[in-house]
Amino acid sequence: MCRTLGSVFVTGFSSFARAADGSFRAWGSNVSGQLGDGTGTTRATASPTMVPASAEEIVGSTSHTCARLGDGTVACWGSNNLGQVGVGPVSTTARLVPAILP
């Protein structure tokens, strides 16, 4: 029996999939909060995230992730030690939840 899978996105060390209810699940490395689940806990199985359900595309590197939302805005999360999240000052504290870029 086959099921249609809506969206799957793979970043440097993590993966994201859209669940049947439109929300996102993620797994993989999360040491910099790049799964967007509010923690820094690495996940071996698909776990709920705080990625907006309106995300149409997810891209990222090994330590941060960004999503293009349906209204054209962008949200990013994860390591911001070089300003890669694009919001607020450069910080050694990771952004653990998605933030909409100004």
Side-chain angles (χ1 to χ4, degrees):
M1 176 179 229
C2 294
R3 290 182 47 191
T4 301
L5 186 59
S7 303
V8 175
F9 302 97
V10 179
T11 64
F13 291 139
S14 54
S15 300
F16 294 79
R18 188 181 303 274
D21 66 0
S23 65
F24 282 90
R25 304 289 190 266
W27 59 98
S29 178
N30 197 30
V31 296
S32 298
Q34 62 266 45
L35 295 184
D37 66 359
T39 76
T41 304
T42 294
R43 309 286 182 181
T45 59
S47 301
T49 71
M50 295 178 191
V51 176
S54 64
E56 295 183 352
E57 182 178 17
I58 298 174
V59 296
S61 72
T62 58
S63 65
H64 77 287
T65 309
C66 294
R68 181 177 50 82
L69 308 183
D71 64 2
T73 59
V74 174
C76 295
W77 58 96
S79 177
N80 196 36
N81 63 324
L82 299 172
Q84 59 268 51
V85 172
V87 294
V90 171
S91 174
T92 57
T93 301
R95 182 168 293 275
L96 302 179
V97 298
I100 304 295
L101 273 65

